[in-house]
Amino acid sequence: MQDHFLEGLISLVHNSPITFDITLTTPGGVIRGTLISTKEYFDRFAESFASAWPGEGGDVLRKSFNQWGDQRSVEGGFDAFVHLKNAHYLDGTGMFPVGPGVLWRGRVAEVSGYTLGQG
């Protein structure tokens, strides 16, 4: 079942400079982080991935991944994926990873619940 409100929140971050913290419940567990646009996700991914290859090799990789940010995956008129930065998985023993800057991408259709903030 589609959640048009969640889809609206995702569209909001695509069409404005707004980002905000969110906690998602998925079949794989609870994930919290900052909701970001597809473009920001792939820009950050490109920078992180390409930084391992200095010089021209890194530039080629960066450009390749940056192009993905211009192509949002849409199903039924809404974004098919949700993107987070500074993501953490929560389980019974705590949260992981502990380092900042982790990116996460998941299918909107797999989100069964959510709350604003990282509570």
Side-chain angles (χ1 to χ4, degrees), residues 38-46 65-66 68-69 83 105:
T38 300
K39 177 157 181 40
E40 183 176 348
Y41 173 86
F42 281 106
D43 286 350
R44 287 174 174 269
F45 184 93
F65 284 115
N66 280 120
W68 281 89
H83 298 95
R105 172 180 165 98

Side-chain angles (χ1 to χ4, degrees), residues 47 50 74 117:
E47 189 59 40
V74 177

Side-chain angles (χ1 to χ4, degrees), residues 3-14 18 20 22 35 114 116:
D3 185 329
H4 295 294
F5 186 72
L6 177 59
E7 292 164 337
L9 293 174
I10 293 166
S11 291
L12 178 65
V13 300
H14 285 293
I18 294 172
F20 51 88
I22 193 165
L35 187 63
Y114 52 92
L116 294 181

